[in-house]
Amino acid sequence: MKKILFTATVDSHILTFHLPYLKWFKDQGIEVHVASNGDANIPFVDKKYNIPIERSPFKKANLKALNRFKEIINCNDYHMIHCHTPMGSVLTRLAARKAQKNGTKVIYTAHGFHFYNGAPLLNWLMYYPVERWLSKYTDCLITINNEDFQTSNRLHSKTLELVNGIGVDLNKFVPQTVKSKYELRQKYNFNEGDFILIFVGELNYNKHQDLLINVMYLLSKKYSNIKLLLVGNGDYFGNYKEQVNKLHLQEFVLFLGYRNDIRDLLLLSDVSVSSSRREGLPVNVMEAMATGLPLVVTNCRGNRDLVMNEKNGFLIGINDIDGFSIAIEKLYQSQTLRETFGINSLEHIHKYSLETIKKKMQKIYTDFID
């Protein structure tokens, strides 16, 4: 029986993004192994290895993780290895060099390089040379946005593919209706007349929620019914909470923490926003598009793959507080514009659907497991 190995830094990455593909391999009669940090019970997996990977490249624990990867890979005759996440992919490809010489195929999906247009010089000095070196040990490099795809042409992978993310489930994330919006607002104790913005993302430096809080400060001076839902946890919660308190925005900016009801929160919202400094191909934006929401997002890698300026949303400079608030105000004042952008989002999202991406990935996998 053929065996394949999926690797990532943490279990949550596998659970969040790759279960449809693990299931597909099982359905093909292929034995599925996963190696990542954690002891989660992952469906469709025949064998799970808990590897003590650390996100930081400077942690000594990663040397132990590398040796563990070597043991696992050298003791199993894997037909194919698919690695994900920065540290998970680095350690996997280093550990798989011997197996690769014996015929094991190695695929790496880059969910967003640390080096990108506008990235700090240190990122290019640290991460680009490593990726350029390791690309020689990559049979197929998959990128999920156009900028990374263009950058990858400078690398040495045997095969290069552009795949539009991990796919959004259009059976789960469905178009908003007047009825669903009204009923959910009643359920969540929002007023029918509230104008609700939503951003789903970890509270951290990269997601840049301080920009949105400053935008809300400007908008709150004009519109008493505007609200911003910040969905997610993160290290910057204290910073952002303090900023909200300082600007007296407690009634306008709501911290909802980690949620399992993203679908419903999108269905009751008016506009989806993103203030990110960089993205791979953001799932939160795709899910908002599938809901039929208009978008106001920063003009960063990943966001600009999904949002067509003045077609299904607005692309705004990464630190442009005034521009961001003006864009939201345009949508606030025009239901017709909101509806037009929403319709365009619904048309555009099909190329990013789970079914479309699964077909693309299945073709890539078939090329390497036959």
Side-chain angles (χ1 to χ4, degrees):
M1 177 184 289
K2 293 178 180 178
K3 289 190 286 188
I4 62 101
L5 174 67
F6 268 66
T7 71
T9 300
V10 292
D11 289 354
S12 60
H13 181 89
I14 301 293
L15 286 164
T16 302
F17 300 124
H18 302 298
L19 294 187
Y21 307 103
L22 301 183
K23 181 180 184 301
W24 182 79
F25 279 112
K26 286 294 294 179
D27 291 344
Q28 308 308 305
I30 295 172
E31 188 174 326
V32 178
H33 293 192
V34 167
S36 53
N37 193 340
D39 54 7
N41 182 19
I42 302 176
F44 317 116
V45 172
D46 296 289
K47 195 158 188 176
K48 169 63 171 68
Y49 299 98
N50 185 355
I51 310 295
I53 310 173
E54 296 285 349
R55 294 180 190 273
S56 170
F58 306 108
K59 296 287 187 178
K60 290 183 179 179
N62 285 326
L63 293 176
K64 293 181 180 179
L66 175 61
N67 290 329
R68 185 71 179 116
F69 269 124
K70 287 180 179 179
E71 291 174 6
I72 293 166
I73 293 171
N74 292 335
C75 289
N76 288 280
D77 185 19
Y78 289 120
H79 200 79
M80 189 196 78
I81 298 171
H82 193 172
C83 54
H84 304 268
T85 69
M87 279 310 303
S89 68
V90 167
L91 296 174
T92 300
R93 286 180 288 172
L94 285 174
R97 286 180 294 174
K98 178 180 177 182
Q100 193 179 30
K101 291 179 180 178
N102 294 327
T104 299
K105 300 299 182 183
V106 177
I107 299 175
Y108 168 43
T109 295
H111 295 269
F113 291 133
H114 283 298
F115 45 93
Y116 55 93
N117 294 337
L121 177 61
L122 182 61
N123 285 33
W124 283 90
L125 294 175
M126 284 183 60
Y127 297 108
Y128 179 75
V130 173
E131 187 55 51
R132 186 174 172 84
W133 171 48
L134 289 176
S135 66
K136 294 185 293 185
Y137 307 107
T138 308
D139 293 290
C140 179
L141 172 60
I142 298 172
T143 58
I144 64 172
N145 60 65
N146 284 295
E147 183 180 318
D148 283 350
F149 182 75
Q150 296 303 320
T151 300
S152 296
N153 285 309
R154 295 182 248 167
L155 305 178
H156 303 294
S157 301
K158 297 179 179 67
T159 304
L160 176 61
E161 297 280 356
L162 175 62
V163 177
N164 293 321
I166 50 88
V168 59
D169 187 348
L170 299 186
N171 294 314
K172 177 180 179 182
F173 291 91
V174 297
Q176 183 187 72
T177 65
V178 173
K179 181 183 178 185
S180 65
K181 185 176 182 180
Y182 174 74
E183 290 177 347
L184 285 167
R185 288 200 173 192
Q186 285 190 315
K187 175 182 176 181
Y188 285 85
N189 296 316
F190 290 110
N191 295 324
E192 186 176 358
D194 287 338
F195 191 78
I196 299 177
L197 316 174
I198 184 170
F199 183 30
V200 181
E202 185 178 346
L203 302 176
N204 61 29
Y205 171 82
N206 178 59
K207 298 299 183 184
H208 195 17
Q209 283 92 342
D210 54 298
L211 171 70
L212 296 177
I213 295 169
N214 286 325
V215 167
M216 287 299 293
Y217 178 73
L218 297 180
L219 294 172
S220 67
K221 302 299 182 184
K222 297 182 179 181
Y223 308 107
S224 61
N225 65 332
I226 195 165
K227 296 185 184 298
L228 169 64
L229 310 183
L230 293 179
V231 184
N233 296 322
D235 294 339
Y236 271 51
F237 170 74
N239 303 58
Y240 295 147
K241 185 72 171 176
E242 181 180 354
Q243 183 184 2
V244 166
N245 292 339
K246 183 177 180 180
L247 297 175
H248 305 291
L249 294 174
Q250 294 91 333
E251 294 183 7
F252 297 92
V253 179
L254 306 179
F255 294 93
L256 302 189
Y258 177 83
R259 302 293 288 252
N260 291 312
D261 55 350
I262 303 300
R263 173 184 178 273
D264 289 349
L265 293 173
L266 287 169
L267 286 170
L268 63 79
S269 297
D270 292 290
V271 178
S272 176
V273 296
S274 170
S275 49
S276 295
R277 290 182 162 92
R278 65 176 173 88
E279 289 286 356
L281 196 72
V283 173
N284 62 318
V285 174
M286 289 190 284
E287 290 173 349
M289 290 170 62
T291 308
L293 293 183
L295 298 134
V296 182
V297 305
T298 45
N299 188 6
C300 71
R301 181 193 65 184
N303 280 351
R304 57 176 163 259
D305 287 70
L306 298 169
V307 178
M308 302 169 288
N309 193 41
E310 299 189 10
K311 297 294 184 182
N312 67 328
F314 293 108
L315 289 169
I316 309 297
I318 289 175
N319 294 303
D320 188 355
I321 298 171
D322 291 331
F324 214 110
S325 62
I326 290 169
I328 292 173
E329 194 166 4
K330 287 180 180 178
L331 291 170
Y332 181 98
Q333 295 174 345
S334 175
Q335 181 177 342
T336 300
L337 187 61
R338 296 197 301 271
E339 290 175 352
T340 300
F341 282 5
I343 290 169
N344 290 339
S345 279
L346 290 173
E347 292 177 353
H348 189 45
I349 193 59
H350 287 280
K351 67 185 288 189
Y352 302 96
S353 73
L354 179 60
E355 287 306 310
T356 299
I357 303 306
K358 279 173 64 177
K359 289 178 182 178
K360 174 77 171 180
M361 287 303 306
Q362 286 166 12
K363 182 180 185 304
I364 292 172
Y365 286 144
T366 300
D367 290 342
F368 283 95
I369 61 177
D370 281 351

